[in-house]
Amino acid sequence: MKAVILAGGFGTRISEESALRPKPLVEIGGKPILWHIMKTYAAHGVNEFVICCGYKGYMIKDYFLNYYLHQSDITVDLKTNETHLQRLVAEPWKVTLADTGENSMTGGRMKRIYDYVKDEEFFFFTYGDGVADIDVSAQVAHHKAHGKLATITAVQPLGRYGALDLDGDKVRDFIEKPRGDGGWINGGFFVLSPKVIDYIEGDETSWEEDPLTRIAHDNQLNAYFHKGFWQPMDTLRDKNHLEDLWNSGAAPWKVWE
């Protein structure tokens, strides 16, 4: 099984960070959020990834090309200019870093990596800027059971602000960040047949618009309901929130040992 991760956008809503590096390399607990997403999949046996690069994609390539250096101890002999890696630590991952264009839309990026997934029964597809404690194995079982081309993960985000529990004008209690309006939204974790790529026109196509709508109208889209933790990293506030959760030692999305 392969997981395709979008990592090419400009990340304009978190420009404090994305001006210097692509958004998926913004760190939570000293590790890129992209790494956290990959660890979530790897916890369920998914060890092959296709990363859709675009904006500052060379930095993502550099990160993985030097992954050993990031993870291991290094001894440098300055006299001979020899380098020795000590205490080698690496993930059992195979990572394809695909250049999908700097200005491509989400659907266009998927279409550009078709050759890497065309022979798969299905593949995972998600964004490189959000984490969840999603049960990928249960999601796969759900996808296989309904037999359609696509599974979308439905989530209920928390409200941005706390709420008042009112009885008329009497305040009975305070509710810290309740569920929003009760509606379900696209949580960004998909399981897809390669056939869905036929619904994508080209680089200018947004996956979330015409392709998903037509797949739904063709009765080929089912929802997997995720009621656990889910958090995108759209703003600096979101980033700081995720950092606080990680530093607490109880990050909800850390489903790996």
Side-chain angles (χ1 to χ4, degrees):
M1 297 182 292
K2 294 181 180 179
V4 176
I5 304 177
L6 292 174
F10 290 99
T12 53
R13 284 181 290 182
I14 191 170
S15 58
E16 301 93 339
E17 293 276 358
S18 62
L20 303 174
R21 52 188 165 180
K23 190 177 178 184
L25 288 187
V26 173
E27 294 182 351
I28 303 297
K31 300 283 189 181
I33 192 169
L34 177 60
W35 177 89
H36 290 263
I37 297 165
M38 295 168 76
K39 288 289 283 186
T40 299
Y41 278 111
H44 293 270
V46 181
N47 290 313
E48 194 163 352
F49 300 91
V50 180
I51 311 298
C52 299
C53 301
Y55 170 69
K56 294 187 183 294
Y58 66 92
M59 297 181 72
I60 297 176
K61 292 177 181 179
D62 285 347
Y63 176 78
F64 285 103
L65 283 171
N66 294 297
Y67 193 84
Y68 267 127
L69 298 180
H70 291 286
Q71 303 298 319
S72 306
D73 295 341
I74 306 171
T75 299
V76 181
D77 189 325
L78 299 180
K79 182 178 180 180
T80 63
N81 198 30
E82 293 180 341
T83 302
H84 301 278
L85 299 180
Q86 315 287 355
R87 199 182 59 82
L88 299 181
V89 179
E91 309 289 347
W93 298 344
K94 181 178 180 181
V95 184
T96 298
L97 301 158
D99 183 356
T100 56
E102 186 163 297
N103 296 299
S104 298
M105 301 297 284
T106 50
R109 296 191 190 282
M110 188 197 299
K111 195 172 186 71
R112 285 206 186 195
I113 57 86
Y114 173 71
D115 284 345
Y116 296 115
V117 298
K118 63 183 180 181
D119 296 325
E120 301 293 315
E121 177 187 359
F122 60 85
F123 64 97
F124 300 100
F125 182 71
T126 194
Y127 307 105
D129 61 355
V131 290
D133 60 350
I134 184 168
D135 187 337
V136 174
S137 299
Q139 184 189 32
V140 169
H142 176 76
H143 179 78
K144 290 182 175 180
H146 67 65
K148 297 183 180 180
L149 295 181
T151 296
I152 185 173
T153 296
V155 300
Q156 288 181 304
L158 294 175
R160 182 173 178 181
Y161 303 104
L164 297 177
D165 180 8
L166 295 171
D167 179 8
D169 62 358
K170 177 184 177 182
V171 179
R172 295 186 299 192
D173 204 350
F174 292 87
I175 305 170
E176 180 62 23
K177 291 188 178 179
R179 293 287 176 184
D181 59 6
W184 294 88
I185 69 168
N186 170 16
F189 290 84
F190 297 88
V191 185
L192 304 172
S193 162
K195 294 178 182 179
V196 302
I197 298 178
D198 293 338
Y199 287 82
I200 300 171
E201 298 264 334
D203 284 353
E204 297 78 24
T205 305
S206 174
W207 164 246
E208 301 78 13
E209 296 177 1
D210 186 61
L212 267 183
T213 298
R214 288 196 290 127
I215 292 169
H217 289 172
D218 288 347
N219 194 30
Q220 288 297 319
L221 179 64
N222 261 39
Y224 172 77
F225 294 99
H226 174 61
K227 298 179 180 179
F229 178 84
W230 174 84
Q231 177 66 57
M233 190 184 66
D234 289 331
T235 65
L236 186 60
R237 175 179 177 169
D238 294 333
K239 188 262 185 187
N240 291 337
H241 175 56
L242 291 172
E243 188 78 33
D244 289 343
L245 288 174
W246 184 264
N247 291 337
S248 75
W253 70 91
K254 188 179 182 298
V255 296
W256 59 91
E257 295 298 327

